[in-house]
Amino acid sequence: MTTTSPVSRRERTTSRCSWWRVTGTGRAVGCGGLRILGAGTAEIKRMYVEPAWRGMGVAVRILRALEQVARRSGVVDLVLETGTRQPEAMRFYEREGYRRIDNFGPYRGEPESVCYARRLPAPTAAVIGR
């Protein structure tokens, strides 16, 4: 996707959550949320892309937007949960630099939950200047 694409982002932010929606052809085609957990950690929530829009970079675009918001909020570590019945999601997160971790918080002891984490790189001048 390029900036000339019909896909645009819209952000809704509260003090602890940030929700992103990607729209294409006038309707939502993907979404994702970020929940600040505290102490430099946030959780990625509710990543979803409509099946017809998968493989077009929508999920990467949402994920990068969430990571940028997290970085600006002082987050160092991102965590997330997905399910064992979502192998495509597991491959996506692994490809995007997330590593599998022990289940955390409410997902402890949940056999169908799989958790991942990623330490965000330090901001660069290009990120700071935006």
Side-chain angles (χ1 to χ4, degrees):
M1 254 173 247
T2 66
T3 55
T4 58
S5 163
V7 176
S8 63
R9 295 182 296 201
R10 192 171 88 183
E11 177 185 17
R12 190 178 93 210
T13 305
T14 66
S15 62
R16 296 190 54 83
C17 296
S18 179
W19 294 96
W20 286 77
R21 179 177 69 185
V22 173
T23 57
T25 62
R27 65 181 195 80
V29 298
C31 64
L34 181 74
R35 184 174 68 164
I36 305 296
L37 299 177
T41 304
E43 181 181 4
I44 293 174
K45 301 290 290 181
R46 309 290 187 262
M47 284 279 300
Y48 179 77
V49 174
E50 288 284 335
W53 287 80
R54 293 179 186 166
M56 297 182 184
V58 174
V60 172
R61 194 168 180 180
I62 293 169
L63 186 61
R64 294 297 172 252
L66 293 172
E67 290 172 345
Q68 187 176 30
V69 169
R71 203 177 285 117
R72 285 192 308 232
S73 300
V75 170
V76 177
D77 295 306
L78 283 174
V79 295
L80 63 92
E81 181 270 346
T82 190
T84 57
R85 295 181 184 176
Q86 298 172 305
E88 297 88 357
M90 294 168 64
R91 283 192 299 274
F92 169 74
Y93 291 120
E94 290 168 5
R95 185 181 72 235
E96 296 303 317
Y98 288 76
R99 71 187 189 304
R100 194 156 176 189
I101 60 170
D102 291 337
N103 289 2
F104 64 92
Y107 313 111
R108 281 190 184 103
E110 291 296 327
E112 293 188 11
S113 288
V114 180
C115 294
Y116 287 89
R118 179 172 184 226
R119 177 150 287 197
L120 293 174
T124 63
V127 172
I128 294 170
R130 290 184 185 175

